[in-house]
Amino acid sequence: MKLFELLSSHGHERLAFHHDAATGLRAIIAIHSTALGNALGGTRRWAYSDEAEAIRDVLRLSEGMTYKAAAADLPMGGAKSVILATAGNPATEAEARAMGRFVETFRGTYIAAEDVGVTPQFVDWMAAETEHVMGGDSVSHGGDPSPFTAQGCFNAMGACLQNLGKPVNFSRLTVVVQGVGATGSRVAKLCQQAGATVLVTDTNVANLQRVVKELGVGVVDGDVFSTPCDILAPCALGGVLNQQTIPKLRCGIVCGTANNQLLDPIEDGANIKKAGVLYAPDFIVNAGGLIRLAGLYIGLSEQQINEKIRHIESTTAVVLRDAQNMPSAYEAGVAYAKSRIDRGRSNKKATMTPA
Ligand code: NAD
Protein backbone atom coordinates (compact mmCIF):
# COMPACT_ATOMS: atom_id res chain seq x y z
CA MET A 1 0.00 0.00 0.00
CA LYS A 2 1.49 3.36 -1.07
CA LEU A 3 0.33 5.55 1.76
CA PHE A 4 1.42 8.95 0.47
CA GLU A 5 -0.10 8.23 -2.95
CA LEU A 6 -3.33 7.31 -1.21
CA LEU A 7 -3.25 10.51 0.84
CA SER A 8 -2.48 12.81 -2.07
CA SER A 9 -4.96 11.18 -4.47
CA HIS A 10 -7.90 12.43 -2.40
CA GLY A 11 -6.24 15.46 -0.82
CA HIS A 12 -5.89 14.16 2.74
CA GLU A 13 -3.82 16.26 5.10
CA ARG A 14 -2.87 13.79 7.80
CA LEU A 15 -3.08 10.14 8.84
CA ALA A 16 -2.02 9.23 12.37
CA PHE A 17 -1.60 5.76 13.86
CA HIS A 18 -1.69 4.99 17.54
CA HIS A 19 -0.91 1.92 19.60
CA ASP A 20 -1.51 1.82 23.34
CA ALA A 21 0.55 -0.97 24.88
CA ALA A 22 -1.46 -1.15 28.13
CA THR A 23 -4.84 -1.74 26.49
CA GLY A 24 -3.81 -3.02 23.07
CA LEU A 25 -5.73 -0.16 21.41
CA ARG A 26 -4.93 0.15 17.71
CA ALA A 27 -6.47 3.28 16.23
CA ILE A 28 -6.14 5.62 13.27
CA ILE A 29 -7.19 9.26 12.91
CA ALA A 30 -7.48 10.71 9.39
CA ILE A 31 -7.76 14.43 8.79
CA HIS A 32 -8.97 15.06 5.27
CA SER A 33 -9.30 18.83 5.35
CA THR A 34 -9.08 21.71 7.79
CA ALA A 35 -9.64 24.31 5.05
CA LEU A 36 -12.83 25.55 6.73
CA GLY A 37 -11.88 24.84 10.35
CA ASN A 38 -11.32 22.09 12.87
CA ALA A 39 -12.85 18.77 11.96
CA LEU A 40 -15.49 16.75 13.79
CA GLY A 41 -15.99 13.12 12.83
CA GLY A 42 -17.09 9.93 14.54
CA THR A 43 -14.94 7.12 15.85
CA ARG A 44 -15.81 3.77 14.28
CA ARG A 45 -14.97 0.60 16.24
CA TRP A 46 -14.94 -2.35 13.89
CA ALA A 47 -13.32 -5.76 13.44
CA TYR A 48 -11.63 -5.03 10.10
CA SER A 49 -10.36 -7.97 8.11
CA ASP A 50 -6.94 -6.32 7.86
CA GLU A 51 -5.13 -3.00 8.38
CA ALA A 52 -5.49 -1.98 4.73
CA GLU A 53 -9.27 -2.20 5.02
CA ALA A 54 -9.21 0.02 8.11
CA ILE A 55 -6.98 2.60 6.38
CA ARG A 56 -9.22 2.71 3.30
CA ASP A 57 -12.29 3.07 5.51
CA VAL A 58 -10.91 5.95 7.57
CA LEU A 59 -9.67 7.77 4.45
CA ARG A 60 -13.02 7.51 2.68
CA LEU A 61 -15.02 8.37 5.77
CA SER A 62 -12.92 11.44 6.55
CA GLU A 63 -13.20 12.73 2.97
CA GLY A 64 -16.97 12.30 3.21
CA MET A 65 -16.96 14.39 6.40
CA THR A 66 -15.31 17.31 4.59
CA TYR A 67 -18.08 17.33 1.99
CA LYS A 68 -20.77 16.75 4.63
CA ALA A 69 -19.64 19.70 6.75
CA ALA A 70 -19.16 22.00 3.77
CA ALA A 71 -22.50 21.12 2.16
CA ALA A 72 -24.23 21.70 5.52
CA ASP A 73 -22.60 25.14 5.60
CA LEU A 74 -20.66 24.46 8.78
CA PRO A 75 -17.30 26.18 9.38
CA MET A 76 -15.70 22.78 9.92
CA GLY A 77 -13.30 20.49 8.11
CA GLY A 78 -13.46 16.73 7.68
CA ALA A 79 -11.94 13.94 9.77
CA LYS A 80 -12.75 10.53 11.15
CA SER A 81 -11.15 7.86 13.30
CA VAL A 82 -11.28 4.07 13.47
CA ILE A 83 -10.44 1.57 16.17
CA LEU A 84 -9.29 -1.82 14.91
CA ALA A 85 -11.28 -4.10 17.21
CA THR A 86 -11.06 -7.86 17.60
CA ALA A 87 -14.34 -9.64 16.90
CA GLY A 88 -16.10 -10.59 20.13
CA ASN A 89 -14.02 -8.23 22.33
CA PRO A 90 -16.36 -5.69 23.94
CA ALA A 91 -15.24 -2.08 24.35
CA THR A 92 -13.77 -1.18 27.74
CA GLU A 93 -13.34 2.05 29.66
CA ALA A 94 -9.54 1.66 29.54
CA GLU A 95 -9.63 1.34 25.73
CA ALA A 96 -11.93 4.36 25.39
CA ARG A 97 -9.70 6.45 27.65
CA ALA A 98 -6.64 5.45 25.62
CA MET A 99 -8.52 6.61 22.51
CA GLY A 100 -9.39 9.85 24.30
CA ARG A 101 -5.69 10.47 24.97
CA PHE A 102 -4.94 9.89 21.26
CA VAL A 103 -7.66 12.40 20.30
CA GLU A 104 -6.23 14.90 22.82
CA THR A 105 -2.87 14.90 20.99
CA PHE A 106 -4.66 16.77 18.17
CA ARG A 107 -5.48 19.65 20.57
CA GLY A 108 -8.88 20.26 19.00
CA THR A 109 -8.00 20.00 15.31
CA TYR A 110 -9.87 16.70 15.50
CA ILE A 111 -13.07 16.39 17.53
CA ALA A 112 -14.30 12.81 18.04
CA ALA A 113 -17.90 11.56 18.30
CA GLU A 114 -19.71 8.23 18.04
CA ASP A 115 -20.04 6.09 14.96
CA VAL A 116 -20.78 2.42 14.35
CA GLY A 117 -19.57 0.38 17.36
CA VAL A 118 -19.16 3.41 19.63
CA THR A 119 -21.87 4.31 22.15
CA PRO A 120 -22.53 7.54 24.08
CA GLN A 121 -21.03 5.70 27.11
CA PHE A 122 -17.79 5.09 25.16
CA VAL A 123 -17.76 8.79 24.23
CA ASP A 124 -18.12 9.76 27.88
CA TRP A 125 -15.19 7.52 28.76
CA MET A 126 -13.12 9.26 26.05
CA ALA A 127 -14.24 12.60 27.50
CA ALA A 128 -12.41 11.77 30.74
CA GLU A 129 -9.19 12.34 28.74
CA THR A 130 -10.09 15.04 26.23
CA GLU A 131 -12.56 17.88 25.89
CA HIS A 132 -12.51 17.46 22.12
CA VAL A 133 -15.27 14.90 21.90
CA MET A 134 -19.01 15.25 21.41
CA GLY A 135 -22.04 13.01 21.67
CA GLY A 136 -21.82 11.60 25.19
CA ASP A 137 -24.65 11.39 27.67
CA SER A 138 -23.09 13.17 30.64
CA VAL A 139 -19.37 14.07 30.63
CA SER A 140 -19.35 15.12 26.99
CA HIS A 141 -22.47 16.82 25.75
CA GLY A 142 -24.68 16.56 22.70
CA GLY A 143 -26.06 13.07 23.32
CA ASP A 144 -26.89 10.55 20.64
CA PRO A 145 -26.94 12.32 17.24
CA SER A 146 -28.90 9.58 15.44
CA PRO A 147 -32.40 11.12 15.87
CA PHE A 148 -31.10 14.19 14.03
CA THR A 149 -29.48 12.09 11.33
CA ALA A 150 -32.73 10.21 10.82
CA GLN A 151 -34.75 13.42 10.66
CA GLY A 152 -32.40 14.86 8.02
CA CYS A 153 -32.71 11.67 5.97
CA PHE A 154 -36.49 11.87 6.14
CA ASN A 155 -36.34 15.53 5.03
CA ALA A 156 -34.14 14.53 2.08
CA MET A 157 -36.71 11.91 1.02
CA GLY A 158 -39.15 14.79 0.49
CA ALA A 159 -36.72 16.44 -1.94
CA CYS A 160 -36.29 13.15 -3.80
CA LEU A 161 -40.05 12.75 -4.27
CA GLN A 162 -40.35 16.32 -5.53
CA ASN A 163 -37.46 15.80 -7.94
CA LEU A 164 -39.44 12.95 -9.49
CA GLY A 165 -42.50 15.19 -9.72
CA LYS A 166 -44.31 13.24 -6.99
CA PRO A 167 -46.25 14.72 -4.06
CA VAL A 168 -44.57 14.48 -0.66
CA ASN A 169 -47.23 12.08 0.55
CA PHE A 170 -45.91 8.91 2.13
CA SER A 171 -49.29 7.24 2.46
CA ARG A 172 -49.00 5.45 -0.89
CA LEU A 173 -45.32 4.67 -0.59
CA THR A 174 -43.39 1.57 0.34
CA VAL A 175 -40.07 2.27 2.08
CA VAL A 176 -37.49 -0.47 2.62
CA VAL A 177 -34.95 0.14 5.39
CA GLN A 178 -31.73 -1.86 5.44
CA GLY A 179 -30.32 -1.85 8.99
CA VAL A 180 -32.55 -0.83 11.88
CA GLY A 181 -29.99 0.33 14.40
CA ALA A 182 -29.77 3.83 15.86
CA THR A 183 -30.60 5.68 12.64
CA GLY A 184 -32.46 3.08 10.56
CA SER A 185 -35.03 2.33 13.27
CA ARG A 186 -35.83 6.04 13.48
CA VAL A 187 -36.03 6.44 9.70
CA ALA A 188 -38.46 3.51 9.68
CA LYS A 189 -40.53 5.16 12.41
CA LEU A 190 -40.65 8.56 10.69
CA CYS A 191 -41.74 6.98 7.40
CA GLN A 192 -44.34 4.86 9.12
CA GLN A 193 -45.70 7.84 11.06
CA ALA A 194 -45.98 9.70 7.74
CA GLY A 195 -48.17 6.87 6.45
CA ALA A 196 -45.74 4.71 4.45
CA THR A 197 -45.75 0.94 4.32
CA VAL A 198 -42.36 0.07 5.82
CA LEU A 199 -40.35 -3.11 5.36
CA VAL A 200 -37.15 -3.64 7.32
CA THR A 201 -34.17 -5.96 7.37
CA ASP A 202 -31.20 -6.38 9.69
CA THR A 203 -28.46 -8.98 10.13
CA ASN A 204 -28.86 -8.57 13.89
CA VAL A 205 -31.96 -10.62 14.68
CA ALA A 206 -32.48 -8.96 18.09
CA ASN A 207 -32.51 -5.48 16.51
CA LEU A 208 -34.85 -6.66 13.79
CA GLN A 209 -37.30 -8.27 16.20
CA ARG A 210 -37.29 -5.25 18.53
CA VAL A 211 -38.15 -2.82 15.71
CA VAL A 212 -40.76 -5.13 14.19
CA LYS A 213 -42.41 -5.46 17.60
CA GLU A 214 -42.18 -1.74 18.43
CA LEU A 215 -43.40 -0.39 15.10
CA GLY A 216 -45.41 -3.28 13.73
CA VAL A 217 -43.57 -2.97 10.38
CA GLY A 218 -43.02 -5.82 7.92
CA VAL A 219 -39.82 -7.73 7.27
CA VAL A 220 -38.13 -7.84 3.85
CA ASP A 221 -38.74 -11.21 2.28
CA GLY A 222 -35.61 -12.21 0.35
CA ASP A 223 -32.96 -9.94 -1.13
CA VAL A 224 -33.26 -6.34 0.06
CA PHE A 225 -31.97 -4.85 -3.20
CA SER A 226 -34.45 -6.61 -5.45
CA THR A 227 -37.42 -5.84 -3.22
CA PRO A 228 -39.87 -3.62 -5.13
CA CYS A 229 -40.36 -0.30 -3.30
CA ASP A 230 -40.55 3.44 -3.79
CA ILE A 231 -37.63 4.30 -1.50
CA LEU A 232 -34.73 2.12 -0.42
CA ALA A 233 -33.01 3.51 2.68
CA PRO A 234 -29.57 1.93 3.27
CA CYS A 235 -28.94 2.54 6.98
CA ALA A 236 -26.30 -0.09 7.76
CA LEU A 237 -22.77 -0.04 6.36
CA GLY A 238 -21.13 1.39 3.23
CA GLY A 239 -20.40 -0.06 -0.20
CA VAL A 240 -23.90 -1.49 -0.66
CA LEU A 241 -24.45 0.16 -4.06
CA ASN A 242 -22.15 -1.65 -6.45
CA GLN A 243 -21.89 -3.64 -9.70
CA GLN A 244 -23.78 -6.55 -8.15
CA THR A 245 -26.60 -4.66 -6.44
CA ILE A 246 -27.36 -1.74 -8.79
CA PRO A 247 -28.72 -3.95 -11.62
CA LYS A 248 -31.05 -5.60 -9.10
CA LEU A 249 -32.62 -2.39 -7.76
CA ARG A 250 -36.39 -2.16 -8.12
CA CYS A 251 -36.86 1.16 -6.31
CA GLY A 252 -37.28 4.69 -7.66
CA ILE A 253 -35.18 6.37 -4.97
CA VAL A 254 -32.21 5.47 -2.77
CA CYS A 255 -31.99 7.75 0.25
CA GLY A 256 -30.51 6.46 3.50
CA THR A 257 -28.24 7.30 6.40
CA ALA A 258 -25.31 4.94 5.74
CA ASN A 259 -21.99 6.55 4.88
CA ASN A 260 -20.24 5.73 1.59
CA GLN A 261 -23.11 3.77 0.06
CA LEU A 262 -21.49 3.76 -3.40
CA LEU A 263 -18.66 1.22 -3.48
CA ASP A 264 -17.02 3.16 -6.31
CA PRO A 265 -18.40 6.70 -6.04
CA ILE A 266 -17.61 7.65 -9.65
CA GLU A 267 -18.49 4.43 -11.50
CA ASP A 268 -21.34 3.22 -9.31
CA GLY A 269 -22.63 6.80 -9.01
CA ALA A 270 -22.90 6.98 -12.82
CA ASN A 271 -24.33 3.45 -13.08
CA ILE A 272 -27.14 4.08 -10.63
CA LYS A 273 -28.12 7.16 -12.61
CA LYS A 274 -28.05 5.15 -15.87
CA ALA A 275 -30.24 2.53 -14.15
CA GLY A 276 -32.87 5.24 -13.71
CA VAL A 277 -32.71 5.25 -9.91
CA LEU A 278 -32.56 8.59 -8.12
CA TYR A 279 -29.70 8.45 -5.62
CA ALA A 280 -29.49 11.15 -2.94
CA PRO A 281 -25.79 11.52 -1.95
CA ASP A 282 -25.31 10.09 1.54
CA PHE A 283 -23.09 12.90 2.77
CA ILE A 284 -25.88 15.42 2.08
CA VAL A 285 -28.67 13.19 3.41
CA ASN A 286 -27.04 12.08 6.67
CA ALA A 287 -25.61 15.41 7.84
CA GLY A 288 -28.19 15.86 10.63
CA GLY A 289 -26.08 14.27 13.38
CA LEU A 290 -22.99 16.28 12.40
CA ILE A 291 -25.04 19.47 12.27
CA ARG A 292 -26.30 18.74 15.77
CA LEU A 293 -22.92 17.95 17.37
CA ALA A 294 -20.80 20.44 15.43
CA GLY A 295 -23.50 23.06 15.93
CA LEU A 296 -23.37 22.61 19.71
CA TYR A 297 -19.55 22.57 19.63
CA ILE A 298 -19.34 25.89 17.79
CA GLY A 299 -22.15 27.47 19.82
CA LEU A 300 -25.16 27.49 17.46
CA SER A 301 -28.58 27.77 19.13
CA GLU A 302 -31.13 24.91 19.04
CA GLN A 303 -33.13 26.99 16.59
CA GLN A 304 -30.16 27.46 14.24
CA ILE A 305 -29.37 23.74 14.43
CA ASN A 306 -32.95 22.72 13.61
CA GLU A 307 -33.05 25.22 10.76
CA LYS A 308 -29.91 23.67 9.26
CA ILE A 309 -31.40 20.18 9.58
CA ARG A 310 -34.54 21.42 7.79
CA HIS A 311 -32.24 22.81 5.10
CA ILE A 312 -31.07 19.29 4.21
CA GLU A 313 -34.23 19.06 2.10
CA SER A 314 -33.42 22.17 0.04
CA THR A 315 -29.74 21.22 -0.29
CA THR A 316 -30.75 17.77 -1.54
CA ALA A 317 -33.15 19.42 -4.00
CA VAL A 318 -30.39 21.68 -5.40
CA VAL A 319 -27.91 18.81 -5.71
CA LEU A 320 -30.44 16.52 -7.44
CA ARG A 321 -31.32 19.33 -9.84
CA ASP A 322 -27.61 19.95 -10.61
CA ALA A 323 -27.15 16.20 -11.09
CA GLN A 324 -29.42 16.26 -14.15
CA ASN A 325 -26.52 17.79 -16.11
CA MET A 326 -23.75 15.79 -14.49
CA PRO A 327 -22.62 12.15 -14.63
CA SER A 328 -24.00 11.45 -11.18
CA ALA A 329 -25.65 12.86 -8.09
CA TYR A 330 -22.48 11.97 -6.17
CA GLU A 331 -20.43 14.27 -8.41
CA ALA A 332 -23.06 16.99 -8.15
CA GLY A 333 -22.91 16.71 -4.35
CA VAL A 334 -19.12 16.92 -4.30
CA ALA A 335 -19.17 19.92 -6.66
CA TYR A 336 -21.71 21.63 -4.39
CA ALA A 337 -19.55 20.96 -1.30
CA LYS A 338 -16.36 22.10 -3.04
CA SER A 339 -18.01 25.35 -4.11
CA ARG A 340 -18.82 25.97 -0.43
CA ILE A 341 -15.21 25.18 0.54
CA ASP A 342 -13.90 27.64 -2.08
CA ARG A 343 -16.32 30.30 -0.86
CA GLY A 344 -15.34 29.63 2.77
CA ARG A 345 -11.63 29.84 1.89
CA SER A 346 -12.03 33.20 0.17
CA ASN A 347 -14.16 34.55 3.04
CA LYS A 348 -11.44 33.41 5.46
CA LYS A 349 -8.76 35.15 3.34
CA ALA A 350 -10.85 38.30 3.19
CA THR A 351 -11.21 38.43 6.98
CA MET A 352 -7.45 37.78 7.42
CA THR A 353 -6.38 40.57 5.01
CA PRO A 354 -5.38 43.71 6.94
CA ALA A 355 -7.59 46.72 6.12
P1 NAD B 1 -25.98 1.11 14.18
O1 NAD B 1 -24.79 0.27 14.45
O2 NAD B 1 -26.79 1.61 15.31
O3 NAD B 1 -26.99 0.34 13.18
C1 NAD B 1 -26.57 -0.34 12.06
C2 NAD B 1 -27.49 -1.54 11.91
O4 NAD B 1 -27.24 -2.15 10.66
C3 NAD B 1 -27.27 -2.61 12.98
O5 NAD B 1 -28.51 -2.99 13.56
C4 NAD B 1 -26.64 -3.77 12.20
O6 NAD B 1 -26.97 -5.03 12.73
C5 NAD B 1 -27.23 -3.55 10.83
N1 NAD B 1 -26.50 -4.16 9.73
C6 NAD B 1 -25.16 -4.28 9.55
N2 NAD B 1 -24.90 -4.90 8.38
C7 NAD B 1 -26.11 -5.15 7.80
C8 NAD B 1 -26.52 -5.73 6.58
N3 NAD B 1 -25.61 -6.20 5.71
N4 NAD B 1 -27.83 -5.84 6.32
C9 NAD B 1 -28.76 -5.39 7.20
N5 NAD B 1 -28.43 -4.81 8.37
C10 NAD B 1 -27.13 -4.69 8.66
O7 NAD B 1 -25.45 2.32 13.26
P2 NAD B 1 -26.14 3.72 12.94
O8 NAD B 1 -25.66 4.74 13.92
O9 NAD B 1 -27.58 3.54 12.69
O10 NAD B 1 -25.40 4.05 11.57
C11 NAD B 1 -25.75 3.38 10.39
C12 NAD B 1 -25.01 4.02 9.23
O11 NAD B 1 -25.30 5.42 9.20
C13 NAD B 1 -23.48 3.92 9.32
O12 NAD B 1 -22.95 3.83 8.01
C14 NAD B 1 -23.07 5.24 9.93
O13 NAD B 1 -21.75 5.59 9.62
C15 NAD B 1 -24.08 6.16 9.26
N6 NAD B 1 -24.29 7.40 9.97
C16 NAD B 1 -24.77 7.38 11.25
C17 NAD B 1 -24.97 8.59 11.90
C18 NAD B 1 -25.53 8.66 13.30
O14 NAD B 1 -25.98 9.74 13.72
N7 NAD B 1 -25.54 7.55 14.04
C19 NAD B 1 -24.69 9.81 11.25
C20 NAD B 1 -24.23 9.78 9.92
C21 NAD B 1 -24.04 8.55 9.31
Side-chain angles (χ1 to χ4, degrees):
M1 178 177 267
K2 294 187 172 164
L3 273 180
F4 282 103
E5 257 177 42
L6 260 183
L7 291 190
S8 65
S9 63
H10 288 265
H12 287 81
E13 291 177 10
R14 202 170 162 198
L15 190 65
F17 296 81
H18 184 67
H19 174 245
D20 180 67
T23 60
L25 171 79
R26 294 177 304 149
I28 311 172
I29 295 177
I31 307 274
H32 177 255
S33 168
T34 51
L36 295 186
N38 291 341
L40 189 148
T43 300
R44 178 169 289 190
R45 187 179 185 278
W46 193 251
Y48 291 100
S49 55
D50 56 27
E51 291 169 10
E53 190 194 11
I55 292 168
R56 272 192 287 273
D57 203 30
V58 77
L59 290 177
R60 274 197 72 180
L61 288 165
S62 58
E63 183 180 0
M65 292 307 291
T66 298
Y67 303 144
K68 195 181 301 195
D73 207 13
L74 290 164
M76 306 286 287
K80 201 91 180 180
S81 57
V82 294
I83 293 174
L84 290 79
T86 308
N89 269 14
T92 62
E93 178 173 356
E95 178 196 331
R97 291 185 68 148
M99 185 64 193
R101 289 192 292 278
F102 181 28
V103 171
E104 178 59 22
T105 63
F106 281 74
R107 302 272 187 267
T109 311
Y110 171 60
I111 305 131
E114 59 256 270
D115 193 72
V116 177
V118 163
T119 59
Q121 169 67 81
F122 191 96
V123 169
D124 275 340
W125 285 332
M126 284 201 273
E129 303 285 349
T130 179
E131 59 185 271
H132 305 297
V133 61
M134 293 291 292
D137 276 334
S138 53
V139 188
S140 144
H141 74 308
D144 179 4
S146 37
F148 302 90
T149 305
Q151 183 63 53
C153 175
F154 181 71
N155 298 348
M157 286 176 178
C160 294
L161 290 167
Q162 284 179 29
N163 182 276
L164 294 182
K166 296 186 175 177
V168 185
N169 175 1
F170 281 74
S171 64
R172 293 209 196 112
L173 303 182
T174 299
V175 180
V176 166
V177 182
Q178 184 199 32
V180 282
T183 58
S185 61
R186 291 179 167 98
V187 169
K189 189 172 182 181
L190 288 167
C191 292
Q192 192 206 35
Q193 283 172 340
T197 300
V198 177
L199 299 174
V200 299
T201 178
D202 198 297
T203 45
N204 180 325
V205 179
N207 274 2
L208 184 65
Q209 284 174 347
R210 182 180 47 80
V211 171
V212 167
K213 196 170 162 207
E214 261 173 39
L215 303 181
V217 292
V219 175
V220 171
D221 183 14
D223 179 44
V224 64
F225 300 102
S226 44
T227 303
C229 61
D230 298 285
I231 305 177
L232 171 66
C235 299
L237 290 179
V240 292
L241 301 172
N242 53 50
Q243 277 182 5
Q244 278 73 44
T245 58
I246 291 171
K248 291 199 274 185
L249 292 175
R250 294 179 67 196
C251 56
I253 294 166
V254 174
C255 180
T257 61
N259 281 313
N260 300 339
Q261 290 167 34
L262 298 162
L263 184 62
D264 182 324
I266 302 300
E267 239 174 68
D268 296 323
N271 285 340
I272 197 165
K273 185 179 177 185
K274 279 187 211 140
V277 175
L278 188 71
Y279 166 70
D282 45 43
F283 57 87
I284 308 275
V285 168
N286 69 16
L290 173 69
I291 292 171
R292 168 80 183 165
L293 295 184
L296 291 174
Y297 190 83
I298 61 176
L300 297 185
S301 67
E302 292 284 337
Q303 198 189 342
Q304 287 170 315
I305 289 169
N306 290 336
E307 184 58 25
K308 275 192 182 296
I309 293 173
R310 260 197 303 280
H311 256 294
I312 290 177
E313 179 170 351
S314 52
T315 305
T316 307
V318 169
V319 167
L320 293 178
R321 190 200 58 207
D322 292 353
Q324 282 160 6
N325 303 315
M326 295 189 70
S328 70
Y330 172 82
E331 290 192 48
V334 171
Y336 180 86
K338 283 186 171 167
S339 70
R340 296 248 161 176
I341 295 171
D342 290 343
R343 204 176 66 190
R345 267 203 187 110
S346 44
N347 287 348
K348 245 184 168 181
K349 260 193 204 147
T351 52
M352 283 163 69
T353 310

